[in-house]
Amino acid sequence: MADEIVALFEDVPPGFVLDATLGGGGHSEQLLERWPQIGILGIDRDVDALSAAQIRLARFGDRLRTYHCRFDRLDEAMTALSIDTLSGALFDLGVSSPQLDIAERGFSYRNDAALDMRMDRTQSWSAADVVNGYTAADLAHVIQRYGDERFARRIAAAIVAARPIESTAVLAEIVVAAIPAAARRTGGHPAKRTFQAIRIEVNGELDALAPAIDTAIERTVPGGRVAVLSYHSGEDRIVKDRMRAAATGDCACPPELPCVCDAVQTVRIVRGVPRTPSKAEQANNRRAGSARLRVVERIPDVATRGRR
Ligand SMILES: C[S@@+](CC[C@H](N)C(=O)[O-])C[C@H]1O[C@@H](n2cnc3c(N)ncnc32)[C@H](O)[C@@H]1O
């Protein structure tokens, strides 16, 4: 999908595009190479990712500005870097390949390491706190909600019985053993959903999303675009909701009547039904399987009064 994402920003007005999840800088590199009218405001909560991206993108000089924070602190980042408006924004949510592949980050059931999973290593709260500190009911809720795991209660009970759990390998073994043998043979690695759920909880991944999308839309100039790639149904629901709110001004009037609530529409939907990756894309990229892309374009504010 990378080509398609980069193409979305071809005609945006000159200025800075927010890369809210700079990661290794892959998307930003292509954006900077292809579209000379834009610079990148790159945010990441992971300092290792920011350092890697700064090295990779050094040749673009001051067309790249970076800031270490959670993306819902966008206003603070723009003030600190003296950027008033955005020409667009890109969110490529979730975890990066280096976070998964570097064993000591403690994200992966494939490598043995201390339970960690913090995207921002300055945060004190880690996977060990969730796994060893939550009640069985809270753990089951997290695993069911963020992992869509049918056996969440069994897994939570097994975790509580085996505490203290110090490592990813031990956690993975406990999860696998808690899932009935027949169910282990479908849907990828049996611990995948539980690890995803714990990671989302540790990093508060859903909490930051709605305010960040709202702010990105608000700070984008007309003609600019906001694109979000999400990998989890809970994320996609939030993205859809915030984009629809901007496209309708959050109008609460009955649909059969004209709008009387002073709602203001600020975007038009470019891609409302999420684009899902092709089989070939899924075969090339292990994260692509669950990706959903939604896009809006900023328009001059329009009162929806009487327009429906
Ligand atoms: C999927 S990777 C991005 C990869 C990037 N698009 C590239 O081309 O290299 C997601 C990145 O976003 C960061 N991230 C995730 N949630 C974040 C948040 N709420 N605030 C800031 N950074 C976040 C992660 O630390 C990770 O580096």
Side-chain angles (χ1 to χ4, degrees):
M1 271 192 204
D3 286 347
E4 185 177 342
I5 289 165
V6 172
L8 289 169
F9 295 90
E10 178 171 7
D11 295 322
V12 297
F16 279 89
V17 168
L18 167 70
D19 185 341
T21 50
L22 185 63
H27 282 120
S28 281
E29 182 171 49
Q30 292 191 45
L31 288 167
L32 289 164
E33 269 170 0
R34 295 277 298 280
W35 315 130
Q37 85 278 23
I38 62 167
I40 293 288
L41 161 54
I43 285 179
D44 206 293
R45 65 198 301 190
D46 182 343
V47 282
D48 296 352
L50 278 182
S51 307
Q54 279 159 350
I55 292 168
R56 180 174 182 170
L57 305 176
R59 68 183 187 281
F60 296 104
D62 63 8
R63 288 179 65 205
L64 172 73
R65 308 222 187 133
T66 59
Y67 197 76
H68 176 230
C69 69
R70 216 170 82 157
F71 51 50
D72 52 343
R73 284 166 50 203
L74 172 58
D75 279 331
E76 173 192 317
M78 290 179 69
T79 304
L81 298 173
S82 305
I83 295 173
D84 295 331
T85 57
L86 297 172
S87 298
L90 171 63
F91 293 76
D92 176 16
L93 300 174
V95 72
S96 69
S97 300
Q99 286 164 343
L100 280 176
D101 294 342
I102 297 172
E104 64 169 61
R105 299 298 302 261
F107 280 94
S108 175
Y109 47 81
R110 293 179 199 280
N111 306 311
D112 190 18
L115 275 172
D116 190 333
M117 302 196 195
R118 290 168 303 160
M119 289 179 177
D120 180 351
R121 287 204 264 187
T122 65
Q123 170 183 318
S124 56
W125 170 253
S126 75
D129 297 302
V130 173
V131 168
N132 293 308
Y134 277 26
T135 63
D138 286 348
L139 265 179
H141 176 73
V142 165
I143 296 168
Q144 204 288 319
R145 179 160 178 225
Y146 300 147
D148 298 321
E149 171 59 71
R150 320 196 249 148
F151 301 105
R153 282 170 59 181
R154 291 172 66 140
I155 293 168
I159 288 174
V160 169
R163 284 169 176 175
I165 300 168
E166 311 286 352
S167 77
T168 51
V170 172
L171 177 63
E173 268 168 36
I174 291 163
V175 173
V176 172
I179 295 177
R184 281 181 223 154
R185 288 190 277 274
T186 55
H189 192 288
K192 184 174 158 188
R193 291 177 296 278
T194 299
F195 271 64
Q196 169 184 289
I198 294 170
R199 186 204 88 216
I200 291 175
E201 175 70 8
V202 167
N203 294 290
E205 289 178 40
L206 301 194
D207 304 342
L209 193 49
I213 293 174
D214 289 351
T215 308
I217 289 175
E218 218 175 278
R219 306 284 310 246
T220 294
V221 295
R225 289 181 160 186
V226 177
V228 187
L229 253 179
S230 62
Y231 300 87
H232 176 258
S233 57
E235 288 172 341
D236 187 51
R237 258 195 302 279
I238 294 171
V239 179
K240 179 178 170 188
D241 174 69
R242 297 327 299 156
M243 288 187 168
R244 186 176 284 171
T248 61
D250 240 352
C251 174
C253 303
E256 64 281 8
L257 296 175
C259 168
V260 291
C261 69
D262 291 334
V264 174
Q265 177 186 357
T266 56
V267 300
R268 75 176 180 87
I269 306 263
V270 175
R271 181 179 290 288
V273 177
R275 147 98 157 81
T276 46
S278 65
K279 288 266 182 295
E281 286 168 325
Q282 294 185 35
N284 278 338
N285 179 350
R286 65 187 164 172
R287 294 178 73 236
S290 52
R292 304 264 181 284
L293 173 64
R294 292 183 187 269
V295 187
V296 290
E297 183 172 304
R298 188 74 159 89
I299 57 170
D301 292 0
V302 182
T304 55
R305 175 181 285 268
R307 289 182 69 246
R308 304 180 340 172

